[in-house]
Amino acid sequence: MSFPKFAFAADPRALDDLREAPTEIRDLALLALQDLVHGEQRGQRLDARNGWDLSDCRKLYVDAKVDWRIVYQERPAPSSAEHKREIFLIAMRPRAGFEAYNTAFHRLGRTRTTSTPRAVAARARSPRNVPTRTTPSSASQQRILPTVTTAGPALHPQKGASR
């Protein structure tokens, strides 16, 4: 019999997740948590995607079909604990619709950031598609329409049309 390598703590709502899970899934999750606490297995590190930062968390597949996930943190244990580190269960939810990750994100009280490089690039405008505008001088009240070019084959003076 091995001794625990980590202390164990859980968000109370994660314990509700365990209680509400199907019996087979709950049994598998409890075995997986036991292996985590004993240091016999370790989940895959999560990352930050689309403004959802869970990079300090790990995931563990519960069942063979990988339909259920455990999301947890390995973190320092309280100073009064016997162990130096603890496994903190955040969520145990189905995979469908990223439910496990969304639940963990909200239980940690985090807000979504939109300053990821991908979000910044999505908000940027391409300089090629910005129409050029000319402002009429105050002396002439003529209206000058913006110049808009259509995308078509560009002609190269020596090579002809390019793709």
Side-chain angles (χ1 to χ4, degrees):
M1 178 167 172
S2 66
F3 291 99
K5 184 176 179 181
F6 298 98
F8 178 78
D11 184 300
R13 296 166 293 186
L15 297 176
D16 290 338
D17 291 347
L18 283 169
R19 277 188 218 101
E20 295 167 3
T23 305
E24 179 184 327
I25 298 300
R26 180 179 53 239
D27 292 345
L28 291 171
L30 291 172
L31 289 172
L33 289 170
Q34 179 179 333
D35 288 345
L36 282 174
V37 169
H38 286 243
E40 295 171 6
Q41 75 173 338
R42 193 170 196 201
Q44 180 181 358
R45 185 177 294 276
L46 295 171
D47 56 9
R49 289 188 186 180
N50 302 323
W52 301 81
D53 186 9
L54 291 173
S55 58
D56 59 338
C57 299
R58 293 181 172 274
K59 71 177 175 181
L60 194 64
Y61 304 118
V62 175
D63 58 330
K65 293 181 183 178
V66 296
D67 288 338
W68 287 79
R69 305 277 195 274
I70 289 175
V71 179
Y72 71 97
Q73 290 177 322
E74 289 180 10
R75 62 186 196 180
S79 58
S80 60
E82 184 179 328
H83 298 87
K84 293 183 180 181
R85 302 204 37 91
E86 74 178 2
I87 300 295
F88 181 71
L89 177 64
I90 302 166
M92 202 280 301
R93 309 287 290 187
R95 172 185 180 245
F98 301 102
E99 188 175 344
Y101 310 115
N102 293 336
T103 301
F105 186 81
H106 292 295
R107 285 182 182 170
L108 290 170
R110 298 184 176 168
T111 55
R112 190 170 180 196
T113 61
T114 56
S115 60
T116 63
R118 191 178 222 175
V120 171
R123 287 191 301 265
R125 294 184 71 192
S126 172
R128 298 180 101 185
N129 295 331
V130 178
T132 57
R133 297 178 186 229
T134 57
T135 57
S137 65
S138 58
S140 68
Q141 295 296 323
Q142 295 179 349
R143 181 178 171 105
I144 301 173
L145 297 175
T147 305
V148 179
T149 59
T150 60
L155 294 178
H156 189 277
Q158 294 175 347
K159 296 183 181 176
S162 66
R163 292 187 211 191

